Amino acid sequence: MKKFLLAISLCFSSAIVLVSCDKDDDYVTPTPPANNDVAVNRGAGDSATVVVSMNQFRTIAGAVVNTAPGASGGRREVNWDGVADSSAANFFNLTAAEAPAGRKRGLVYFPSDVLLRTSLTNFSNIEPTYANQFKAFSKPRLFNSDATNLTEIRFKVPGTNVDAFVKAIGIVFTDVDNANATTVEIFDGNTSLGFAKAQPSNGQFSFVGLSTTQGKITRVKIVTGNGVLAAGVKDVSDGGTKDLVVMDDFIYSEPVAIP
């Protein structure tokens, strides 16, 4: 695990929308300027190696895993294993009183009509070669956004529609080949606080965690590789031309209402 302070300064970017599959080559991650408040935790390799990085990041995000609304401090985790193959953007932030506590975690996707895709078969239903291309970090399911390699997440106070921020966010990726293609960028509104690239680990796992002591992370933009999962599209390590990457576990600090 490598921890370092990311040298980036504040910059402004326009509103972000998810990009369709025919635009995956057009997106270029910006280079924000220096913000010494943002720290990055990264790790890559087999599951045992990545767990070390994740456990160190968990101490930053919050020592206790919260499982119900109304928590103060601590962290939230999502592993997608209870999510159907296709789910709505607010799957992990239902607001109805009768909704299960496990569905009230304050994590939402933007825009609201985006579909979340999970798979028990490494997305081999899309392309058969993916069965051996990807593997789940926390079995059995993997996660990806539908028909795009750009994903944006925002936060709510768990179980409510109140806009929120977090202080830390970490994500597990699987099968990163390109050292520059998979990134996580954090924002306070439209102001970029910083970003980090996932380290390559062909056929294995990569973890990226970003945290801030002074800033407020209100949204996160995730770029998974430089291609989109589709029938006939193979990963660069399997004779294709694209680095195809999917996601697994998310770790983030308890969402707090924006003042």
Side-chain angles (χ1 to χ4, degrees):
M1 191 284 298
K2 183 176 180 181
K3 180 176 180 180
F4 56 93
L5 292 180
L6 188 66
I8 42 180
S9 65
L10 299 178
C11 70
F12 291 90
S13 62
S14 59
I16 305 298
V17 296
L18 293 179
V19 179
S20 63
C21 60
D22 60 342
K23 295 294 185 181
D24 56 281
D25 289 330
D26 298 340
Y27 182 78
V28 177
T29 299
T31 303
N35 179 358
N36 291 330
D37 176 56
V38 175
V40 177
N41 292 69
R42 298 192 302 173
D46 61 16
S47 58
T49 300
V50 170
V51 162
V52 173
S53 300
M54 293 174 69
N55 285 342
Q56 292 176 338
F57 185 76
R58 286 179 170 115
T59 65
I60 297 171
V64 178
V65 179
N66 299 325
T67 58
S72 177
R75 70 179 189 273
R76 301 275 172 172
E77 297 199 11
V78 170
N79 62 20
W80 311 109
D81 295 337
V83 183
D85 288 354
S86 178
S87 300
N90 68 341
F91 183 90
F92 278 117
N93 196 54
L94 298 184
T95 58
E98 66 275 13
R103 298 279 300 276
K104 299 177 179 180
R105 304 191 199 185
L107 183 74
V108 296
Y109 282 75
F110 181 84
S112 60
D113 60 353
V114 67
L115 285 178
L116 315 182
R117 297 291 188 188
T118 71
S119 177
L120 290 167
T121 61
N122 302 338
F123 295 104
S124 61
N125 58 308
I126 297 175
E127 163 57 41
T129 61
Y130 298 164
N132 297 317
Q133 190 65 50
F134 305 121
K135 60 182 179 181
F137 176 80
S138 57
K139 296 179 180 180
R141 288 186 181 269
L142 286 167
F143 161 76
N144 213 33
S145 293
D146 185 44
T148 180
N149 67 329
L150 295 183
T151 299
E152 182 170 324
I153 60 174
R154 300 186 180 188
F155 303 97
K156 302 285 186 180
V157 174
T160 77
N161 285 316
V162 177
D163 291 336
F165 68 91
V166 301
K167 306 293 284 186
I169 174 75
I171 300 165
V172 174
F173 300 95
T174 182
D175 195 39
V176 174
D177 297 298
N178 186 318
N180 297 307
T182 296
T183 61
V184 180
E185 186 172 9
I186 56 175
F187 293 83
D188 181 353
N190 286 330
T191 301
S192 177
L193 301 178
F195 80 99
K197 300 175 182 179
Q199 297 169 305
S201 187
N202 179 31
Q204 297 291 331
F205 308 106
S206 303
F207 176 75
V208 176
L210 294 98
S211 59
T212 173
T213 56
Q214 302 299 320
K216 296 178 176 65
I217 304 170
T218 62
R219 63 187 183 98
V220 182
K221 184 167 61 182
I222 306 159
V223 181
T224 47
N226 56 14
V228 174
L229 306 188
V233 177
K234 294 185 177 182
D235 185 72
V236 65
S237 65
D238 192 30
T241 60
K242 304 290 187 181
D243 183 19
L244 304 177
V245 177
V246 296
M247 295 174 274
D248 205 323
D249 294 20
F250 281 35
I251 301 171
Y252 52 101
S253 62
E254 179 68 20
V256 177
I258 297 174

